[in-house]
Amino acid sequence: MASSLLLAAIGAVLLGTSYQLYLSPLLFTTLGVNRDLQSISDFPYQCRRIQNPRLEACEDMWLDDSARVLYAACSSGSGRANGAWNPSVSALNTSRRTPGGDYVSVLRIDEPGTDGLFGLHQLQPVGYAGATGDGALDLHGFDVEVVDDTKLRFWMVNHRPPLDEQGGFLDAEKVGANSTIEVFEVERGEGEEKKQMVHLKTISDAAVITPNKVAATGDGGFVATNDKSGKGNFFPTVGLRRDLDFVLGGGSLAYCGDTSCHIAATGGFNYPNGLVRGKDGLYYVPSSFIDKIRVMELQPDLTLKEINVIHLGMPVDNLSVDEKGDIYAASFPKIWTFVKSMGDPYNIDAPATIWRIRKSGKDYEVEKVIEDGEGKIIGSATIARHDAKTGRLFIGGMFQ
């Protein structure tokens, strides 16, 4: 009898511990069960959608504050939906890549024009052949480095399809994407020659396994998030372990210098997503599965060490840094609705929340900037860029 009571007590303790450590965070933090959301009308913004086929599925954006130009990596909602080609969400159907490839759309944010499209145009790639020779890009996250007053350097995640030696498509379900980092140079200013992005080089390395976003180091290198523990969906190679990333954690950070790359941090990640390098030189790494933004410092041996953690109470997709050094986070208050929107991006809008993170001494102040509980205007947001000069927010989404 005593032993039975002891076993029951131990079982109760284990169940209670499991609930506190795993089930409760999963239900209430990650999935947002019983989370009350605010209407977008509660916030002091007048929001509208800038609608155009060339502004679909803009997963990531970068703002040139001084030139007053916004750059967005865009695609098509159908090309990034479930069952299509979007390796970041394990969609590995090469036959449904976006026709003609993805592109960088450009808006001059102080010149709306009579059509309200801010002089919308695309950057034309020059000198980039593409995986199959058609010049097509398969873009995801990116960062931009200001080289000087006249030039920008783009570091772009490119999820190329895998090919065999004869140039035929391999089964991406088995081998995953052939993801690379593409480096382009763009001239700042007006004129037709400024509407080009000149290809400088392709970076392909075993350390850059499943890249999601890059952050330029400012000295010719970059840090990249590998959002998963492996490529491909095929069981029993890596598919099962990768499917368990949600529970067991997975992913890593890669550091690439001028000549080589290596894994700079592992452990404690759970779908590391759209990192940024802050004005303070630290790297801020969000997670799309758990409530944790890890603050990482680059060490002399070129590894990354966690020195702080920021909590927002919900998973985060991409971060961005404004001119003042404040960090803006696009987050998922109801991630299950966001997952459903992947399958039907034109008809399902997921709620979205945008946060501001401001450094205060050794700590951080967090503030909810805007929330769209109904997903009416900024639904399914994955990136928010703040224009510090005017206070405006430019918000994009991977599937919208």
Side-chain angles (χ1 to χ4, degrees):
M1 181 66 177
S3 60
S4 297
L5 290 174
L6 178 60
L7 288 173
I10 293 173
V13 170
L14 291 175
L15 284 173
T17 302
S18 297
Y19 177 82
Q20 291 294 330
L21 292 179
Y22 302 107
L23 187 57
S24 179
L26 171 64
L27 290 175
F28 302 111
T29 301
T30 300
L31 297 179
V33 173
N34 294 330
R35 177 177 285 139
D36 293 326
L37 302 180
Q38 292 180 262
S39 170
I40 197 169
S41 61
D42 292 343
F43 298 86
Y45 290 94
Q46 293 182 339
C47 301
R48 70 176 180 94
R49 289 191 175 188
I50 308 172
Q51 294 183 310
N52 186 276
R54 287 296 182 178
L55 289 174
E56 269 193 23
C58 300
E59 151 76 10
D60 200 6
M61 302 188 296
W62 185 83
L63 178 62
D64 187 340
D65 293 286
S66 60
R68 316 299 294 152
V69 175
L70 182 72
Y71 298 91
C74 304
S75 183
S76 68
S78 59
R80 284 190 168 165
N82 283 345
W85 180 249
N86 189 354
S88 69
V89 296
S90 302
L92 296 170
N93 184 351
T94 55
S95 68
R96 287 188 55 190
R97 294 170 66 206
T98 297
D102 299 341
Y103 42 86
V104 177
S105 290
V106 184
L107 294 88
R108 298 193 175 280
I109 63 171
D110 293 338
E111 303 170 25
T114 56
D115 58 3
L117 293 177
F118 297 89
L120 173 64
H121 61 276
Q122 282 71 54
L123 292 180
Q124 300 302 317
V126 174
Y128 174 72
T132 62
D134 60 359
L137 289 160
D138 298 275
L139 299 177
H140 200 79
F142 72 103
D143 195 16
V144 179
E145 181 181 358
V146 178
V147 178
D148 54 37
D149 290 342
T150 63
K151 292 180 182 178
L152 302 173
R153 183 166 296 138
F154 282 60
W155 304 81
M156 313 196 79
V157 173
N158 186 26
H159 293 307
R160 302 189 304 179
L163 304 177
D164 60 25
E165 293 180 358
Q166 288 73 43
F169 288 106
L170 294 170
D171 187 347
E173 290 283 342
K174 294 181 179 179
V175 302
N178 182 23
S179 299
T180 57
I181 309 302
E182 307 296 341
V183 185
F184 292 89
E185 194 168 85
V186 175
E187 290 190 40
R188 303 165 100 176
E190 304 275 356
E192 289 302 314
E193 73 280 1
K194 315 296 185 182
K195 296 180 180 180
Q196 298 178 343
M197 46 191 286
V198 179
H199 189 244
L200 299 182
K201 61 180 176 179
T202 295
I203 298 168
S204 178
D205 193 276
V208 186
I209 309 165
T210 55
N212 185 295
K213 177 72 183 287
V214 292
T217 58
D219 57 1
F222 64 88
V223 174
T225 48
N226 289 311
D227 57 26
K228 302 176 192 67
S229 57
K231 297 184 177 186
N233 293 332
F234 184 67
F235 177 82
T237 52
V238 296
L240 178 60
R241 175 60 182 88
R242 197 173 78 166
D243 288 344
L244 292 175
D245 282 355
F246 182 79
V247 177
L248 302 177
S252 61
L253 298 181
Y255 172 87
C256 292
D258 287 335
T259 58
S260 64
C261 302
H262 62 266
I263 298 297
T266 59
F269 295 107
N270 202 312
Y271 202 98
N273 207 311
L275 86 164
V276 292
R277 181 174 182 262
K279 297 277 189 181
D280 54 8
L282 300 175
Y283 295 86
Y284 295 79
V285 186
S287 167
S288 289
F289 280 164
I290 56 176
D291 173 28
K292 181 184 286 188
I293 298 173
R294 299 178 69 181
V295 185
M296 314 287 288
E297 184 177 53
L298 189 62
Q299 303 299 298
D301 63 355
L302 301 180
T303 60
L304 286 151
K305 177 183 177 182
E306 180 184 301
I307 61 171
N308 209 335
V309 176
I310 302 168
H311 298 285
L312 298 182
M314 59 184 66
V316 174
D317 197 312
N318 284 300
L319 303 176
S320 67
V321 184
D322 74 1
E323 193 174 32
K324 295 180 179 179
D326 291 339
I327 296 173
Y328 283 75
S331 59
F332 305 135
K334 296 284 185 179
I335 196 170
W336 183 245
T337 309
F338 180 80
V339 171
K340 289 195 294 184
S341 75
M342 296 178 188
D344 192 6
Y346 295 110
N347 296 302
I348 299 177
D349 290 318
T353 308
I354 309 299
W355 301 84
R356 185 188 69 195
I357 302 167
R358 175 171 289 169
K359 197 166 187 179
S360 178
K362 294 183 179 180
D363 297 318
Y364 295 89
E365 300 173 355
V366 299
E367 179 185 351
K368 184 193 294 184
V369 174
I370 192 170
E371 187 167 74
D372 188 353
E374 297 86 18
K376 291 180 179 179
I377 305 294
I378 64 169
S380 304
T382 58
I383 180 66
R385 280 284 172 182
H386 178 245
D387 175 25
K389 288 184 172 68
T390 65
R392 288 176 296 173
L393 288 170
F394 294 89
I395 299 170
M398 178 190 287
F399 301 101
Q400 297 294 318

